[in-house]
Amino acid sequence: MRSHYCGQVNESLVGQSVTLCGWVNRRRDLGGLIFIDLRDVKGLVQVVVDPDFEALFETANKLKHEFCIQLTGTVRARPESQVNQNMATGAVEILASDLTILNGSDVLPIDMGGHQNNSEEQRLKYRYLDLRRPDMANKIKFRAKVTSEIRNYLDSHDFLDVETPILTKATPEGARDYLVPSRTHKGQFFALPQSPQLFKQLLMMSGLDRYYQIVKCFRDEDLRADRQPEFTQIDIETSFMSADQVMAVTEDMVRQLFTKLLNVDLGDFPKMTYADAMAKYGSDKPDLRISLEMVDVADLLKEVEFKVFSGPANDPKGRVAALKVPGGADKFSRKDIDELTKFVGIYGAKGLAWLKVNDLDKGMEGLQSPILKFLPETVATATLSRVEAQTGDIIFFGSDTYSVVSEAIGALRLKVGEQLNLVEDAWKPLWVVDFPMFEEIENGLTPLHHPFTAPVGVTAQELKASPEKTLSNAYDMVLNGCEVGGGSVRIHQQDMQAAVFDILGIDEKEAEEKFGFLLEALKFGTPPHAGLAFGLDRLVMLMTGASSIRDVMAFPKTTTAACPLTNAPGFANPDQIKELGIQTVKSDKAE
């Protein structure tokens, strides 16, 4: 139906006849001439309709925004004064000789000018229109380039693309499973995979050596900007490769991706331990574009009378940390600090202590703070020295449990960095390594990653003796404060896997019921293996500068896991429910 794409019409075609298909991006009637900006997947081109062609002109007069048309015309050069430098086709235009309306369009339910003029609900309900906008279409096309480059890289490095089942058994990935009832096994359910974790390990046990898959994963969890109930994972697993080797090959893949698609050299990725990341940034995915760092000061405050400080300072599970903001003393009013206090309260902090250094040379007289009366001069001086304070700085303090302080002051660091424009315009990748094997929860321990992650440098007996002190052989790739990939060396020995299950309170019967097939496979010469999974949606979101992964997914869900376009989820036919051998509970909405 067409000879060329709109965005490919250029000066080399001047004098030639072309046939194009696309949508009316804009129609203008100027002094008798009708100008049409015609758009397709490759771009825009200007079309001119002359009134001398009466029938053609009459048809062009009927055109409205987003009419789908086919036209034929002659390419001609624009006068130099009329060249549009903002269009790839701006040096030429097409004088139309034939025009066919393929399909008209009703008044549009969304503003095609930009997503800022539409609600999220509107954009998702009319996603097929939203995706016509070049901004959105370009993100989807960029995503396709990303997956193509990844496949090319992994194929060239002897990785084998293998599909794994979607209907499977529940695995412990830290979120609720989506369950699918079985018609042939009434009362039983499949689970949609939260990741292909166990299957990729089984592929290594099968001797396939290097596996990858760009795969859909499903998690029934509360959503936010960077989460969806179904998301896409770049899943990678290898045999006989160490953690450093897995990190090297995946780092090289990401580096090449940025070089080819963004012309950005990420350089070598630094490594940072989990302990250092939490100590300096309060996060295991630190944003290194902001230079602010937290400093622990609990040892200096153990003897002060101010129990807000001395309590956590003397608690083995407590933390007192300071965040110095250079030059911030005159940038935060009391009202601003009150707002920041409310902000850290979101993360469990009961307050936000602060100290302004108005004049360092004046000693205590040069300091300003409501807590100053609780600090002996020696303590204040030592604290200022520890954080390397200068005149004009402000210091914020967090004092609570280790987790509350880390999360609250870590979030404050990001907020202050954005407010004061301290975020460097750069790409800052790193590896975070040496994660704890387990973390404490109310009823015991839970794996920080998953229960198939191998510990570092201990036997099964040593692990059981001191699980809280053991590090895992895990690694996360972080980019500009986002975790884009995470992986680990896997457990490949029966006694170690049994020890981990024992620590987690999973007895033999439960282990057999949930993971019997994996435990059985471990008996037959399982090789050492390791892997890593990238969040494709999050990676593309960062690379395109999108504010949400919903903007780089063709048909995402809302934050309530619903689809306004198809009205999913919906109610099932009663006959289907009966055939599945299950009953449903009526909700108010159902009634």
Side-chain angles (χ1 to χ4, degrees):
M1 291 183 69
R2 60 186 169 200
S3 64
H4 296 79
Y5 284 97
C6 297
Q8 295 176 336
V9 178
N10 55 39
E11 291 169 290
S12 68
L13 297 174
V14 169
Q16 296 185 32
S17 177
V18 297
T19 299
L20 309 175
C21 294
W23 288 269
V24 176
N25 198 65
R26 185 168 63 148
R27 184 185 73 86
R28 292 161 290 152
D29 193 337
L30 303 176
L33 291 175
I34 292 177
F35 290 87
I36 303 166
D37 286 346
L38 188 64
R39 184 192 76 246
D40 64 14
V41 71
K42 299 289 186 181
L44 282 170
V45 68
Q46 178 172 284
V47 179
V48 181
V49 182
D50 195 298
D52 291 342
F53 299 92
E54 291 184 14
L56 176 63
F57 195 83
E58 184 178 341
T59 302
N61 239 336
K62 300 175 183 177
L63 298 181
K64 295 180 181 178
H65 196 198
E66 295 304 305
F67 269 43
C68 184
I69 65 174
Q70 178 194 49
L71 68 83
T72 298
T74 303
V75 180
R76 66 185 189 185
R78 291 199 204 184
E80 189 173 338
S81 62
Q82 296 179 18
V83 170
N84 187 343
Q85 301 293 345
N86 297 320
M87 290 174 61
T89 61
V92 297
E93 62 187 13
I94 297 171
L95 179 61
S97 57
D98 188 50
L99 171 61
T100 301
I101 297 176
L102 300 174
N103 214 329
S105 174
D106 289 346
V107 175
L108 297 173
I110 67 172
D111 185 344
M112 299 291 283
H115 66 259
Q116 66 274 8
N117 301 323
N118 305 296
S119 69
E120 179 103 296
E121 187 82 8
Q122 285 177 301
R123 293 181 60 208
L124 296 183
K125 182 174 178 61
Y126 300 100
R127 192 61 161 187
Y128 45 86
L129 296 178
D130 193 39
L131 289 174
R132 286 186 193 175
R133 297 190 299 106
D135 176 58
M136 283 299 298
N138 288 338
K139 288 183 174 67
I140 300 301
K141 287 188 279 187
F142 185 87
R143 180 184 177 119
K145 291 180 181 178
V146 169
T147 58
S148 177
E149 289 294 337
I150 287 169
R151 289 187 188 280
N152 290 339
Y153 180 91
L154 293 173
D155 289 344
S156 69
H157 285 73
D158 297 324
F159 284 84
L160 191 64
D161 184 358
V162 184
E163 292 184 353
T164 54
I166 293 297
L167 294 177
T168 182
K169 196 169 185 176
T171 58
E173 298 285 343
R176 287 182 295 271
D177 292 297
Y178 277 101
L179 299 178
V180 180
S182 170
R183 178 184 60 81
T184 54
H185 301 277
K186 286 183 171 56
Q188 298 184 54
F189 295 82
F190 293 104
L192 301 183
Q194 295 187 35
S195 85
Q197 179 62 46
L198 297 184
F199 284 105
K200 63 185 176 185
Q201 290 191 245
L202 290 171
L203 288 171
M204 295 304 99
M205 298 171 189
S206 305
L208 293 183
D209 197 67
R210 293 189 178 195
Y211 141 95
Y212 84 93
Q213 187 181 187
I214 299 178
V215 60
K216 280 288 184 186
C217 301
F218 307 86
R219 296 185 182 181
D220 185 8
E221 59 184 347
D222 295 332
L223 307 181
R224 55 177 184 252
D226 60 348
R227 287 190 179 173
Q228 282 281 295
E230 52 180 319
F231 57 96
T232 305
Q233 195 164 283
I234 307 162
D235 209 40
I236 297 171
E237 196 78 8
T238 68
S239 293
F240 307 112
M241 287 181 70
S242 66
D244 286 339
Q245 289 172 319
V246 172
M247 286 190 280
V249 72
T250 52
E251 176 181 322
D252 185 54
M253 181 185 78
V254 172
R255 192 162 40 239
Q256 287 195 30
L257 194 65
F258 272 72
T259 300
K260 288 186 177 182
L261 298 185
L262 296 181
N263 196 28
V264 168
D265 182 5
L266 292 177
D268 293 331
F269 294 14
K271 288 182 182 178
M272 181 182 298
T273 66
Y274 172 88
D276 282 347
M278 296 303 294
K280 294 180 180 180
Y281 307 106
S283 170
D284 59 1
K285 47 182 185 295
D287 190 342
L288 300 186
R289 295 174 301 167
I290 300 172
S291 60
L292 304 178
E293 294 184 4
M294 297 162 61
V295 177
D296 284 305
V297 293
D299 59 307
L300 302 177
L301 300 166
K302 287 184 175 183
E303 305 302 324
V304 299
E305 295 181 5
F306 191 38
K307 290 185 178 179
V308 170
F309 280 170
S310 60
N314 287 283
D315 185 343
K317 296 183 179 180
R319 183 178 190 187
V320 185
L323 179 73
K324 180 190 73 174
V325 182
D330 60 353
K331 294 177 181 175
F332 292 98
S333 66
R334 189 60 186 264
K335 181 181 177 182
D336 295 329
I337 295 173
D338 288 343
E339 288 300 315
L340 293 178
T341 302
K342 292 179 184 177
F343 173 75
V344 296
I346 297 171
Y347 301 91
K350 300 179 184 68
L352 181 64
W354 55 273
L355 188 155
K356 290 185 177 183
V357 186
N358 296 324
D359 190 337
L360 188 64
D361 294 334
K362 291 185 178 180
M364 295 293 281
E365 292 183 4
L367 306 179
Q368 177 188 351
S369 172
I371 65 169
L372 207 55
K373 58 187 176 183
F374 300 110
L375 300 181
E377 185 171 355
T378 54
V379 172
T381 301
T383 302
L384 294 175
S385 176
R386 171 88 46 99
V387 302
E388 299 181 354
Q390 301 294 324
T391 295
D393 296 346
I394 187 172
I395 304 164
F396 294 107
F397 296 89
S399 183
D400 208 302
T401 64
Y402 192 92
S403 60
V404 167
V405 171
S406 299
E407 193 170 357
I409 304 302
L412 179 68
R413 170 183 172 270
L414 299 179
K415 187 172 183 66
V416 168
E418 291 173 358
Q419 284 184 344
L420 300 184
N421 296 316
L422 301 178
V423 184
E424 185 182 353
D425 184 15
W427 293 101
K428 294 288 187 178
L430 78 152
W431 287 104
V432 178
V433 298
D434 292 344
F435 287 85
M437 185 77 176
F438 304 99
E439 61 181 339
E440 288 189 42
I441 56 175
E442 188 174 342
N443 298 322
L445 297 176
T446 189
L448 196 64
H449 281 79
H450 55 66
F452 314 109
T453 300
V456 176
V458 296
T459 65
Q461 292 73 26
E462 290 169 337
L463 175 65
K464 291 177 73 172
S466 57
E468 302 92 342
K469 298 179 181 178
T470 304
L471 298 180
S472 68
N473 206 344
Y475 34 85
D476 283 357
M477 183 186 290
V478 177
L479 181 61
N480 289 6
C482 287
E483 178 198 329
V484 293
S488 67
V489 174
R490 321 302 187 188
I491 296 171
H492 70 283
Q493 296 168 322
Q494 287 177 268
D495 63 337
M496 185 63 76
Q497 190 64 74
V500 170
F501 285 160
D502 187 43
I503 292 167
L504 298 175
I506 300 174
D507 60 29
E508 289 186 21
K509 182 179 179 181
E510 184 182 359
E512 181 63 31
E513 181 182 333
K514 290 183 176 179
F515 316 110
F517 60 95
L518 177 72
L519 299 176
E520 180 76 10
L522 287 173
K523 299 175 182 178
F524 304 108
T526 297
H529 54 287
L532 184 144
F534 289 96
L536 175 64
D537 312 296
R538 195 173 300 175
L539 184 61
V540 176
M541 178 187 75
L542 289 171
M543 295 181 77
T544 59
S547 59
S548 164
I549 63 171
R550 294 190 292 278
D551 281 344
V552 297
M553 303 171 78
F555 299 103
K557 304 291 190 294
T558 66
T559 52
T560 58
C563 176
L565 175 64
T566 63
N567 289 323
F571 296 105
N573 184 296
D575 291 336
Q576 286 180 297
I577 297 292
K578 184 177 180 180
E579 191 175 24
L580 291 169
I582 60 177
Q583 291 181 317
T584 59
V585 177
K586 285 188 176 182
S587 66
D588 293 338
K589 184 180 284 188
E591 294 171 356

